[in-house]
Amino acid sequence: MKMGFRQMENEDKLGSEDKSGVRSVARALALLSALDRKGKNLSEMAAAANISVSTASRLLGTLVAHGFVAQGSNNRYVAGLALTTLLHETDRWAPLRMLAAESTTALRAELDETSAFFVRFGDDRLCIDSAESSQLVRRVRLTGEKGKIYRGSAGKVLLAYSTDEAVDDILGDMQSFEIPGQRDRTVEELKAELAQTRTQGYGFSHHESTGGSWSVAAPVFIRGNLVGALAAVIPDHRFGEEALTAAIEATKRVAAEFSETPRK
């Protein structure tokens, strides 16, 4: 059965509209992904989404109208109420976000080193917030960054204050694991480090999760339950006894300040 010219024309038009719609959705998502706490102006939003200013203006107008983006008096775009409500309702870490943001900011203010808040996510440690150092040479930890929980100071803290059953479940039948640039670490050595971490109240790592940096982390508790690990991540050239002592003291103190102790 032959297709009429008008039918073919209509289907071509629908196909073109479908492609245009998908392209608009992709661009709108790119604009949403470009949002941050400080806000961006129109040109910055367009550049971040890699689209023209006119297209960004049109799409942002729609997003503002539906509450997913808000525009302040300084003409900078930030997340709107509809977006933040959606994220809160679907984000399992939402109750910790404010604590994570405030604690990382406080630790950064103490040391002027990049600070990050980690939670356990399956067999990984997940960064849910960070505060970047103002120093020219600094280590960056991005929100959403993941790594194996058995590498790094934050992972050691998360494991050290977990139950033995949880640790065995994560490690499984593993006998040893690789640390890039170093010899393999055995599980028995790791468990000895976890015991030491519990005793001293902080975890330490040097060139474990990433090369060229070291880290100190301390546990954060809510009503006696571990909710995360607060960590300072510092470039290797600032490593030394004095810097290590300062990082340990500050990280433990700030983590304790943001921990909620059980009421008697």
Side-chain angles (χ1 to χ4, degrees), residues 97 114-118 125-132 138-147 210 233:
R97 294 288 181 184
T114 296
S115 305
F117 194 96
F118 292 88
R125 48 175 171 72
L126 171 68
C127 177
I128 65 169
D129 213 305
S130 64
E132 194 171 319
R138 57 188 179 270
R139 179 69 176 91
V140 176
R141 278 294 190 201
L142 300 176
T143 300
E145 187 175 322
K146 291 193 297 183
T210 55
V233 188

Side-chain angles (χ1 to χ4, degrees), residues 12-259:
D12 286 343
K13 183 178 180 181
L14 288 173
S16 177
E17 289 175 351
D18 286 344
K19 291 178 182 178
S20 176
V22 170
R23 187 163 56 248
S24 293
V25 170
R27 289 171 170 173
L29 290 173
L31 288 168
L32 291 176
S33 298
L35 295 170
D36 58 26
R37 291 176 184 169
K38 295 179 181 179
K40 290 186 175 75
N41 61 33
L42 178 59
S43 297
E44 292 169 335
M45 290 292 289
N50 196 28
I51 58 179
S52 68
V53 171
S54 60
T55 299
S57 178
R58 175 175 55 82
L59 291 173
L60 284 168
T62 301
L63 291 169
V64 168
H66 287 81
F68 287 93
V69 174
Q71 189 174 16
S73 56
N74 57 359
N75 290 323
R76 301 184 76 82
Y77 292 94
V78 296
L81 181 60
L83 178 60
T84 55
T85 300
L86 175 63
L87 293 174
H88 188 278
E89 291 178 349
T90 58
D91 180 11
R92 62 182 292 189
W93 312 116
L96 289 177
R97 294 288 181 184
M98 184 175 293
L99 182 151
E102 291 179 350
S103 61
T104 54
T105 299
L107 183 56
R108 190 262 314 275
E110 289 268 344
L111 297 170
D112 196 13
E113 299 288 0
T114 296
S115 305
F117 194 96
F118 292 88
V119 295
R120 179 187 166 189
F121 185 68
D123 295 346
D124 294 323
R125 48 175 171 72
L126 171 68
C127 177
I128 65 169
D129 213 305
S130 64
E132 194 171 319
S133 167
S134 67
Q135 300 192 64
L136 183 62
V137 179
R138 57 188 179 270
R139 179 69 176 91
V140 176
R141 278 294 190 201
L142 300 176
T143 300
E145 187 175 322
K146 291 193 297 183
K148 288 300 181 184
I149 199 168
Y150 45 78
R151 295 195 191 103
S153 64
K156 291 175 188 175
V157 166
L158 296 172
L159 285 176
Y161 292 91
S162 297
T163 64
D164 291 340
E165 292 78 9
V167 173
D168 289 338
D169 183 57
I170 290 171
L171 300 177
D173 297 329
M174 187 168 57
Q175 299 297 315
S176 64
F177 55 93
E178 180 186 6
I179 297 180
Q182 300 184 34
R183 67 173 179 81
D184 289 357
R185 189 77 50 87
T186 68
V187 168
E188 289 305 312
E189 287 174 324
L190 173 63
K191 288 185 175 180
E193 282 193 84
L194 300 183
Q196 183 179 11
T197 297
R198 286 191 297 271
T199 299
Q200 61 195 15
Y202 69 90
F204 170 74
S205 68
H206 199 173
H207 294 184
E208 287 187 23
S209 58
T210 55
S213 65
W214 56 283
S215 178
V216 172
V220 178
F221 299 95
I222 296 296
R223 291 184 291 277
N225 297 312
L226 178 74
V227 296
L230 177 64
V233 188
I234 305 171
D236 203 30
H237 74 275
R238 289 199 286 273
F239 181 72
E241 185 175 343
E242 185 176 338
L244 176 59
T245 299
I248 291 170
E249 291 178 353
T251 304
K252 289 180 66 176
R253 182 174 62 255
V254 174
E257 289 172 355
F258 282 87
S259 290

